[in-house]
Amino acid sequence: MTTHSNHRSWLASANDHPDFPLQNLPLGIFSSTNKSPRGGVAIGEMILDLQAALDAGLFHGAAVAAAETASRSQLNDFFALGAAARRALRGALLELLDERSKQREAMQALGETLLVPMHACQLHLPARIGDYTDFYVGIHHANNVGKLFRPDNPLLPNYKHVPIGYHGRASTICVSDTPVRRPNGQTLPPGQDTPSFGPSKRLDYELELGIWIGQGNEMGEPIAIGQASEHVAGFCLLNDWSARDVQAWEYQPLGPFLSKNFASSVSPWVITAEALEPFRKTQPARPEGDPQPLPYLLDEADQATGAIDIELEVLLLTAAMREQGLPPQRLARSNTLNMYWTVAQMVAHHSVGGCKLQPGDLFGSGTLSGPQSEAFGSLLESTVGGKQPLSLPSGEQRTFLADGDEVIMRARCHREGYPSIGFGECRGTLLPAL
Ligand code: MN
């Protein structure tokens, strides 16, 4: 497929934009003055209003129905249309916004009716999330966390056979910039044998890739691994906020519960598979001695191109740093190549027993840490379970998050000869417990 890698836009702010050049074109839901939430496309510093573009007659052919569906207040119906509609819309937008576009003057004449400055807009959750599942495919995270509990045997015996996951909570998933309140809960304080109730003292973030499900499947009809990528509508950043002290007390035998269900933050833009195409990679070879995936999880094409090279970072801005005018401090830089299982393997596994996936369902990858401490995607790992505090430029230290801390996640794709694209940010500031 053509990547339009050398094309430029007549919209100046799109060219060399670190996140949203012409080659990205992510979809999201936005609102601006006096208008209700509606579908738009991020381009440079602006958002293209799909309804305004339809009103101006800018779309033709298959792109009309795709744009109409994507212009609604949630992207579920658009996700349900599948890859062909998404590609039709992308193709039309690539032409419209190209510097050689025949519609350039007509579009410029529409001014801010068509292209709304992003800073003047509010961004919303892109879709109504029916179900949310969090996986555990970041093998270095699984190793690091496992080591804290079982130094000699960090990975449980199922890890290299099953893409481990659990069913999470969809109702408290919030869009970037939504404040997050520190939860109260039950914990077992060190040295005690009865639990206490109160604000979590070990509040953490988890750096994850979010996966938006597109076309679903019927109950009882699994999605085959070879078709699985066609069922993915796009990607985002996900912060799976975690109350570690609550988690440690509650998680056995059924897994995380209240430690994870108070909030999960997502970045607002849906980055499409088409935009990520140039950044596809071969799934890294499994270490010598690891088992081959079972046949229902093994597909040659998926192994050849199923990994994605996305650089991830997490930064912290404390209240004191904000007051002192200090910039956010990067805590870690990692990459989605640290996934032991591909996205297609996650989709195939999730549905293999007959589970119904629906448009707008969300998957989390699990924390994507790298092997080195500079790439650890949670404080649990980078402070070795709270034992080694991190030092900040303000003179403060952190083992876990303090009230007023803002966690900022970013993701970018780079490749020689291609414009870089980014995900935008996933931010959240911690409010004190009630
Ligand atoms: Mn998680």
Side-chain angles (χ1 to χ4, degrees):
M1 78 184 286
T2 168
T3 55
H4 294 76
S5 60
N6 55 356
H7 290 213
R8 297 181 62 87
S9 175
W10 52 262
L11 182 70
S13 72
N15 298 321
D16 307 310
H17 192 277
D19 286 330
F20 308 125
L22 179 65
Q23 289 74 12
N24 194 349
L25 302 174
L27 291 147
I29 301 296
F30 76 105
S31 58
S32 50
T33 356
N34 302 329
K35 284 196 178 173
S36 52
R38 58 202 190 277
V41 178
I43 176 81
E45 300 295 328
M46 313 297 268
I47 299 175
L48 182 138
D49 184 325
L50 286 167
Q51 186 56 55
L54 282 157
D55 292 344
L58 293 172
F59 293 111
H60 303 282
V64 178
E68 189 283 312
T69 313
S71 72
R72 298 174 191 170
S73 60
Q74 292 174 317
L75 292 173
N76 297 72
D77 294 344
F78 177 70
F79 289 172
L81 293 180
R86 199 172 64 232
R87 287 169 195 148
L89 180 58
R90 177 179 174 82
L93 290 166
L94 280 168
E95 272 189 32
L96 285 170
L97 291 161
D98 193 288
E99 64 186 349
R100 285 159 289 190
S101 169
K102 292 189 188 73
Q103 314 272 14
R104 173 182 180 154
E105 277 164 32
M107 294 177 83
Q108 281 168 332
L110 290 167
E112 293 193 4
T113 309
L114 180 69
L115 289 160
V116 192
M118 199 181 289
H119 67 79
C121 296
Q122 196 188 343
L123 290 157
H124 304 270
L125 273 182
R128 180 184 64 259
I129 304 167
D131 277 301
Y132 162 56
T133 300
D134 198 22
F135 282 85
Y136 199 52
V137 308
I139 189 166
H140 302 294
H141 172 74
N143 248 316
N144 294 336
V145 173
K147 261 185 220 160
L148 294 175
F149 302 101
R150 297 173 302 275
D152 302 327
N153 186 26
L155 285 187
L156 290 169
N158 55 9
Y159 190 84
K160 292 178 172 177
H161 298 274
V162 184
I164 301 293
Y166 71 97
H167 288 117
R169 187 76 190 166
S171 61
T172 28
I173 297 175
C174 53
V175 74
S176 176
D177 276 328
T178 307
V180 168
R181 190 168 292 283
R182 179 186 298 274
N184 284 302
Q186 263 197 49
T187 60
L188 189 67
Q192 305 287 307
D193 51 18
T194 51
S196 310
F197 179 82
S200 167
K201 293 187 178 71
R202 289 162 70 92
L203 202 79
D204 201 354
Y205 55 80
E206 291 192 336
L207 175 60
E208 303 197 18
L209 179 72
I211 297 133
W212 290 104
I213 297 298
Q215 275 180 325
N217 58 309
E218 292 305 320
M219 181 176 164
E221 294 177 17
I223 298 169
I225 180 84
Q227 272 80 60
S229 335
E230 291 288 303
H231 290 261
V232 173
F235 301 86
C236 64
L237 277 161
L238 189 150
N239 180 356
D240 180 25
W241 303 90
S242 299
R244 301 297 182 194
D245 42 358
V246 177
Q247 186 177 357
W249 172 234
E250 74 175 1
Y251 88 103
Q252 285 176 317
L254 284 186
F257 189 26
L258 275 64
S259 55
K260 305 268 192 176
N261 74 3
F262 58 95
S264 314
S265 304
V266 292
S267 56
W269 295 106
V270 180
I271 314 298
T272 64
E274 290 70 35
L276 290 170
E277 190 77 38
F279 311 101
R280 287 273 170 189
K281 285 269 166 78
T282 300
Q283 174 66 359
R286 292 187 158 203
E288 185 89 10
D290 280 13
Q292 276 287 93
L294 285 167
Y296 81 94
L297 293 171
L298 190 56
D299 178 75
E300 216 175 293
D302 179 47
Q303 291 298 307
T305 61
I308 320 173
D309 182 359
I310 308 169
E311 192 177 274
L312 307 166
E313 57 177 356
V314 56
L315 305 96
L316 181 67
L317 183 65
T318 69
M321 290 166 71
R322 206 177 298 119
E323 274 164 30
Q324 293 170 36
L326 292 166
Q329 169 78 6
R330 186 163 70 211
L331 300 184
R333 184 154 61 177
S334 185
N335 195 291
T336 47
L337 294 173
N338 291 310
M339 291 165 65
Y340 189 77
W341 299 95
T342 66
V343 171
Q345 287 174 320
M346 291 155 68
V347 171
H349 181 70
H350 202 306
S351 67
V352 74
C355 175
K356 180 181 169 76
L357 302 180
Q358 302 189 88
D361 282 359
L362 183 71
F363 289 2
S365 59
T367 309
L368 295 178
S369 298
Q372 310 296 333
S373 60
E374 311 83 69
F376 288 176
S378 69
L379 287 171
L380 182 67
E381 295 164 85
S382 38
T383 69
V384 195
K387 290 199 276 290
Q388 295 176 13
L390 303 178
S391 297
L392 299 170
S394 51
E396 298 170 286
Q397 290 199 321
R398 285 292 179 275
T399 46
F400 291 95
L401 296 169
D403 294 343
D405 283 1
E406 184 173 23
V407 177
I408 304 162
M409 293 177 176
R410 295 179 186 148
R412 294 230 165 88
C413 303
H414 306 281
R415 182 177 161 186
E416 190 66 37
Y418 289 84
S420 296
I421 64 167
F423 279 49
E425 290 182 327
C426 179
R427 302 176 84 109
T429 302
L430 198 56
L431 302 177
L434 286 177

